[in-house]
Amino acid sequence: MESQEKKSRRPWVVGVSGASGTPYAASVLRGLLDAGESVDLVVSRASRLTLLDETGIGFRDAHWREDLAAWLARGADGKPDAFEVPVESLDDVRYWAAGDLAAGPSSGSYPAKGMLIVPASTASVAGVALGLSKDLLQRVASVTLKERRPLVVVVRETPLSGQTLKQMVALDEAGAVVLPASPAFYAGATHIQDLVDFVAGRVLDAAGVPHELYRRWRGELGGASRAG
């Protein structure tokens, strides 16, 4: 018999597309897990190639827990053991294959809190804006919008074409939060991880998830230089 805890599980669905920026996804995932949130993970086929290119990690369906642990342990600078992520810490992560259109989150009756697409490629932006369901990532995004749940789309592309800008406006009008992966410097960044964590922190802010990933603005000029 299922426990009450499992019955009441309401995860954030994190979709990872093929855009460059897998460290952003790793930071968001660590932030969600640190906050005690449940996570459903969808890794697109294209993102596996990006992950392999950016980190050297192959993401395999049959060994996703081990591969995810290795990914989350890697820092944005490429160091493999920058974070401590034991495999057992992933007990409340559920993985769904990108081609599984019968997966739980593909239905509006599945109890999800919302969805974070990080990073979001222009192809995924277009697919979601047009209401396509070419893979599970796009399908879950469409479900999230129709159910009026929070959808945060972390666009990682530059420059942006006029067509992509129109699609981003369409997402905004549909109720999504369009959040470009644009790190800020007022938080006193001294390392590439600080810039990555700033973007991840803004994603969690948009989702209403508490975190301590970056130094917040306090209205004091020069505060960044005095931080630390």
Side-chain angles (χ1 to χ4, degrees):
M1 186 174 182
E2 285 187 315
S3 67
Q4 187 62 36
E5 181 180 0
K6 288 186 177 180
K7 287 182 179 179
S8 61
R9 182 180 184 272
R10 292 187 66 230
W12 284 99
V13 181
V14 177
V16 186
S17 82
S20 176
T22 55
Y24 291 125
S27 184
V28 167
L29 287 165
R30 286 193 299 267
L32 288 170
L33 295 176
D34 287 346
E37 297 285 345
S38 301
V39 173
D40 276 21
L41 179 63
V42 180
V43 179
S44 76
R45 291 188 177 92
S47 69
R48 295 177 188 230
L49 298 176
T50 307
L51 180 64
L52 182 63
D53 185 51
E54 294 184 343
T55 70
I57 297 171
F59 198 89
R60 302 160 295 174
D61 287 347
H63 302 280
W64 70 266
R65 288 171 63 87
E66 293 85 351
D67 295 340
L68 179 58
W71 177 17
L72 299 189
R74 184 174 293 265
D77 60 359
K79 291 182 179 178
D81 298 310
F83 299 92
E84 185 176 350
V85 185
V87 174
E88 56 268 22
S89 70
L90 306 179
D91 286 346
D92 206 13
V93 177
R94 186 173 295 173
Y95 169 71
W96 302 97
D100 184 4
L101 292 178
S106 68
S107 172
S109 65
Y110 186 81
K113 287 186 176 180
M115 184 180 192
L116 315 174
I117 304 177
V118 52
S121 65
T122 53
S124 62
V125 167
V128 176
L130 293 173
L132 304 181
S133 294
K134 296 181 69 174
D135 62 9
L136 182 60
L137 189 152
Q138 292 182 7
R139 171 58 186 169
V140 178
S142 295
V143 167
T144 302
L145 287 175
K146 80 179 183 67
E147 297 294 328
R148 302 296 190 266
R149 295 169 183 161
L151 173 64
V152 183
V153 182
V154 185
V155 184
R156 217 308 305 161
E157 184 62 89
T158 190
L160 293 166
S161 70
Q163 192 61 43
T164 298
L165 290 168
K166 291 176 183 176
Q167 291 159 350
M168 290 164 63
V169 170
L171 288 177
D172 177 80
E173 291 176 343
V177 174
V178 179
L179 197 154
S182 301
F185 295 85
Y186 63 77
T190 59
H191 190 277
I192 186 174
Q193 189 67 54
D194 298 326
L195 299 176
V196 168
D197 286 347
F198 178 86
V199 172
R202 295 297 288 147
V203 174
L204 296 179
D205 286 345
V209 176
H211 66 88
E212 295 182 359
L213 285 175
Y214 69 88
R215 173 188 172 274
R216 296 184 181 278
W217 173 249
R218 303 295 184 187
E220 300 176 3
L221 293 177
S225 62
R226 296 193 298 272

